[in-house]
Amino acid sequence: MKINAKTILFLSISLFLEMTVIAQEKVHTYVDPMIGSEGVGRVFVGPSCPYGMVKPSPDCTAGPNSGWLPIPKEVTGFSQVHVSGTGGGPKYGNIQIMPFSGGLDKLDQTSFRAEENVKLGYYETVFKENGIKTEITTGEKVSFYRITYPKDQVKALKIDPGFFLGEQEEPDGREAQQFVGSQIEIVSDTEIRGYSRIRGGWNNGRAYTVYFWAVFDQPIAKHVTYKDGKFYPNDRAQFDSGKKTAALVSFGNEGKQELNVKIGISFLSELKAKNNIKVEIPHWDFNAVLATLENKWEQLLNRIRLSADTSVDYKKMFYTGLYHTMIMPVDRTNENPLWTNNEPYYDDFYTIWDTFRTSSPLITLIDSKRKVEIINAMLNIYKREGYLPEGRSGNDNGRTQGGSNAEVVLADAFVKNLTGIDYELALKAMLKDATVPPGGNEEKEGRGGLLDYIRLGYVPYGTDRAGNRTIDYSYNDYNIAVVAKGLNKMELYERYMKQADSWQNLWRADYTDKGATGFIMPKDANGKWLDDIVFGESKIQKPTFKYTPVIIESPWYVCHWCVFFYEGTSWEYSFSIPHDVPELVRKSGGEKAFETRLDTFFNSNLYNVANEPSFLTPCLYHWIGKPYLSSDRISTIIKNNFNTSHKGLPGNDDSGAMSSWLAFHMMGLYPNAGQPYYLLNTPLIKQTTMTLENGKSFTISTKKRSDKNKYIKAAFLNGKPHNKAWISHDDIMNGGELLFEMDSKPSAWGTTILPPTK
Amino acid sequence: MKINAKTILFLSISLFLEMTVIAQEKVHTYVDPMIGSEGVGRVFVGPSCPYGMVKPSPDCTAGPNSGWLPIPKEVTGFSQVHVSGTGGGPKYGNIQIMPFSGGLDKLDQTSFRAEENVKLGYYETVFKENGIKTEITTGEKVSFYRITYPKDQVKALKIDPGFFLGEQEEPDGREAQQFVGSQIEIVSDTEIRGYSRIRGGWNNGRAYTVYFWAVFDQPIAKHVTYKDGKFYPNDRAQFDSGKKTAALVSFGNEGKQELNVKIGISFLSELKAKNNIKVEIPHWDFNAVLATLENKWEQLLNRIRLSADTSVDYKKMFYTGLYHTMIMPVDRTNENPLWTNNEPYYDDFYTIWDTFRTSSPLITLIDSKRKVEIINAMLNIYKREGYLPEGRSGNDNGRTQGGSNAEVVLADAFVKNLTGIDYELALKAMLKDATVPPGGNEEKEGRGGLLDYIRLGYVPYGTDRAGNRTIDYSYNDYNIAVVAKGLNKMELYERYMKQADSWQNLWRADYTDKGATGFIMPKDANGKWLDDIVFGESKIQKPTFKYTPVIIESPWYVCHWCVFFYEGTSWEYSFSIPHDVPELVRKSGGEKAFETRLDTFFNSNLYNVANEPSFLTPCLYHWIGKPYLSSDRISTIIKNNFNTSHKGLPGNDDSGAMSSWLAFHMMGLYPNAGQPYYLLNTPLIKQTTMTLENGKSFTISTKKRSDKNKYIKAAFLNGKPHNKAWISHDDIMNGGELLFEMDSKPSAWGTTILPPTK
């Protein structure tokens, strides 16, 4: 190439354009919905808008919680509502469709995938047997399917509102979804309407109804309707008689191969579902729907930008983490069938016990307006139904796993100065949890075992999950105290601050295990520590088993739900006192003993990365003045457990709980939910810039960061030394820069001014 | 007239035919739905099948519980769902229609009635302003309207799913129904579909949805739809956006003047409502629908026949009493939106506290198969929702007024040997009430104040309705004991039999009022009797008022719901111990003192005929060996309070509670619900014959009965002397005849063998 002025000009322009492109790099492209899809992560892989109501996905058998399973598992169909990252019995999987070729004479149209292609907002698969390609994108309340049939094949489609996930033979199986009713009507040659009514599922909820309106861009040539095992070629409708209904329709084998299908859903009615299509996707442009969705995500995700040198893997892990955090709870404003709907309404809190620690604070940091909406929805649920949600799905509260952790969410909003929330009402709602037993169904809401907790200062063994309930309620009480103090209700403040020490009543000070002394252990209502705990309901025999701090579950014949600690051991829970780590350190024998105890915990595989109660534990070294040990642990945990693979999440993602834990740590921040600060650790990212909703920006930068230089030598906030290993929420909101100077060895930074405590 | 053989033959045949007619006299013609419609009775006046789901009636303003008010009150329209005899805030009033003449430009089509004509299964009115005649009859799930417009007038009709009874401005007013959503679609020129979704009402229930499908026998000529204050002449549908919707349609002013309208309703879907029409009323024959309804009632009502000499007034009072007893609860089998519906499902238990005493036993006597269905529906509610219903309406439990009185209903079925009920399950359900507090909402179900009741043996003052709760729970516990014993669970039997004495813990033995000693009185949790009781929530002042046995309500500024006794005084409730009258007599100072006390009660207007807790009290003379005094009281009470007028019921009919009290006493029987016998009193009817479901019949006859001979001299059961003033359920079921020999003065009959007791 001959270099001349023109060439230079051209190269300059090219370079400028390229730089512009880099500057405007679309961060949403780093989202990989497949991260955490296999193994234990169970994330939803289909397209979803932020907090989107409709979540279309393949259902690979009726078993998996998110609907999806990896190839070669068969595909039953594509249903429109799913949850992400959950354990236990499935929920949803409503209004299934399935493209096929052939006669309209068979309800089961199960197929196998030859390939699959997933990116943010987009799902595509080609079936092995018939070569049909299905592409899916989505609006907030409308799924969009582009189905391409092989040439000259019959273009057939099943619409099956009788399908749902988690079906079991047993009529009232715990955690199983149960069929209540369904209906289908072929309205015109391009429209089908109907609904699916299902009860139960993981939260044992009351019946919910998903209404739909489906529209096709080709006319139906032939149809049969279906009910309860029989086909009706002459009937255009099957009314709800408590039996499963469906329709099989054919669009012939001529004309264009591409069939487009829009499925509006609603929790109010079929006409509302139709209107959702009209309002949201009045056209047939698949790519425009996808572009709109991408843009919504881009607006949210690019509020946090990572320095250009960040590896693609880290970008994927980070932005996918943010993405997973913002697909639940689900925005159902104007879709509430329970009360008039001019207020924000959210569903699928699944569950707050999982999400209060990291997902909820991350939403506050990125999208506090949304957080305010979510909290107002929670307060509306309290106003109309009597209790805040802990878990909630299908428009019904349930279940609680431990505490009434909505208290933490409310306190977190309060201490972070979120406005637009009636905190007097919030305190009232929290006090309801803390004072009024939830009654007959202690799993639904509120605090099970509350009366004993108040009377004895702990939940005695014999009440399900007595151990973690005591711990959770203690923290919840601290959160109540915080809000009470802020509202200048000092009497309440003192009462609940005192009650926040309740965890100490289950602290068995002289119990020793693996060199550590003092554990949260089961105690009966008479105050007696229990070494052997009873199981079973026999009145004649009293079978027992030995309870130790490493027991994670009782024997198989004891109900999983009735154990002392929910999904965890005493080793794990005995670190889980987020409001009073100094007292925990003291009770554990002082700083040295506590350090040894933490080391034992991590080095002996007692730490369970998959479980939320241990989320804060790697940071506990901060409270003994050794934040570098926290950073070491976190770095190792991430390296060993998180990656960009399909198995890249080490536990159920639980509505983004696991993902948001990762995203926070990658930035070098970690929240202690309910308290107005973030712990500081070595960031994985060289520079992170947050665009704040108040118009300011906040940057976390590192100097001399390398694999070797992994320790913080010094920190500067807006140029001034910042010697604390934590930063207040206000400091971030004020904007500016936090700079870490890195070094190859631990320093004295952050060792003297310990993190705040109650 | 010239008498000849031919004439004699003719006369003979006429006489024979007339006799046949008398023999086949249709007893349903004696039902007068207007009895108890005015004043406090509040009965539903429109047509209804037995336990019928659809109950069409005019709504005269949005205020009245049954919809109807007497002329000259205006009519807003005719809605399809109502309840009968209730107090408190209204429920239902859904899917209103209103015929009118004129332009389709005004939602309010209120008219005044020129006349009104009501009989069983039939309602008719003519509007004053426009001369439109509306006739209504009904199937189980389909209303049928025959509307006759004046010649050449525009035949217009409003269909208004936005209407409901009990609307208030206040968004969450206690007991007020609240609008959630509605929808309307003009499907074809003869069909309209839609729904109304409402929450709240007297039982503070969750949202329920009434779907409808309306069909016309003339084509719609013109229409406008309506939403939220605006008319839409070009839109055939208004989807649910949380705003009120309606349609105004015109059938022109030509052609036939008579417009027939069928409105199917459903709690599942519009198509189900359509199918309900197809199954039930596939034709347009108004008179055939009416005849079917009459026949259904005839089959039930003629199971009890009164001797020919019975006065028309007595026949009316009696058969209307039976009729009122069997219009609620409502059979919603195959209409349950909460779980699969292959089991009986009943709703509108409104409330069992009202109906357990007389309505429920009367249904058992006439129609035990139905009773078994109702009980199985109750047990299904327990299985699926965790608690038996006490009150239930709109598919949601609530509210409790006193005890968990489903216990009485279950025990009553058990002691009367009803088969087809899983009594082990029933006992489990009863024990749930008795052992597990209902939690946050103590009005919804179960037993409020339960823990104190168990701990202290009474509900202490401070808990709402502590007095009657203690009394009710005592009786409920007796009922549990009865079933436990029958199932050979002697440990349970003993525990609950002991607990059934709990009422004694509130017996203030030394308290004297109007010469009577010993009253159920308020006691605090420390065991201190309270003469002055606190009201209000002020923490600074402790305002009190003096509580005495004649206080029926606290001052106006104290919540009606929070008083010591629900709707009653201590004088009333201190007689209300149906399982242990002998102990009550003893505690009241013995037989003489008890008689004086009863006399004081009735003679000093302390007795409240309108309230269920005093239903048994007139019979208490039986337990001191003076059944003739019971009969005297009953006779006087009926004479002074019951008649065939519109004001012929002295209290809220409460789903037939008041009416069934009357019906029982007219036959000379009175049940003590939960116990297997009936008290015997002087019948008002000379001879009553019951055709029993087992094919046998049982007759109660009197000999020499006259106004003067009002006392039972002797009784004979199947010819053998029957010296007890009570008869067992088995004796009746075995068939035969109970004959009373009457006399003008009290006799020794029934004075020595007192009625059974615990």
Side-chain angles (χ1 to χ4, degrees), chain B residues 717-731:
Chain B
L717 180 61
N718 299 324
K720 289 181 192 158
H722 184 84
N723 293 327
K724 304 173 289 187
W726 49 274
I727 186 169
S728 77
H729 182 74
D730 283 352
D731 282 340

Side-chain angles (χ1 to χ4, degrees), chain B residues 364-500:
Chain B
T364 298
L365 200 59
I366 301 175
D367 192 7
S368 69
K369 275 186 196 135
R370 182 70 75 159
K371 189 82 230 171
V372 170
E373 274 189 26
I374 293 170
I375 286 175
N376 282 325
M378 289 165 62
L379 292 177
N380 275 313
I381 290 165
Y382 158 72
K383 273 201 295 191
R384 267 37 183 271
E385 302 192 354
Y387 281 97
L388 290 160
E390 163 57 39
R392 182 181 181 87
S393 192
N395 298 314
D396 203 12
N397 277 354
R399 308 188 313 203
T400 59
Q401 300 183 145
S404 49
N405 297 307
E407 268 92 291
V408 195
V409 176
L410 299 175
D412 196 60
F414 184 77
V415 299
K416 292 174 183 170
N417 305 312
L418 300 201
T419 56
I421 294 167
D422 178 349
Y423 288 106
E424 292 283 348
L425 177 66
L427 182 61
K428 217 172 140 192
M430 293 158 92
L431 288 171
K432 174 80 178 278
D433 281 339
T435 57
V436 184
N441 185 354
E442 294 217 321
E443 279 171 30
K444 187 172 167 60
E445 54 203 357
R447 298 187 184 180
L450 176 65
L451 293 179
D452 280 337
Y453 173 75
I454 293 172
R455 184 169 61 94
L456 303 170
Y458 61 93
V459 182
Y461 188 76
T463 298
D464 298 347
R465 291 161 279 133
N468 64 298
R469 276 175 157 164
T470 300
I471 291 173
D472 278 346
Y473 299 167
S474 302
Y475 191 46
N476 303 156
D477 285 339
Y478 165 78
N479 294 114
I480 293 175
V482 165
V483 177
K485 190 179 182 185
L487 298 175
N488 205 23
K489 296 176 196 296
M490 296 312 290
E491 202 182 310
L492 271 180
Y493 164 73
E494 276 155 31
R495 186 186 326 154
Y496 281 94
M497 204 50 131
K498 188 154 170 275
Q499 205 165 288

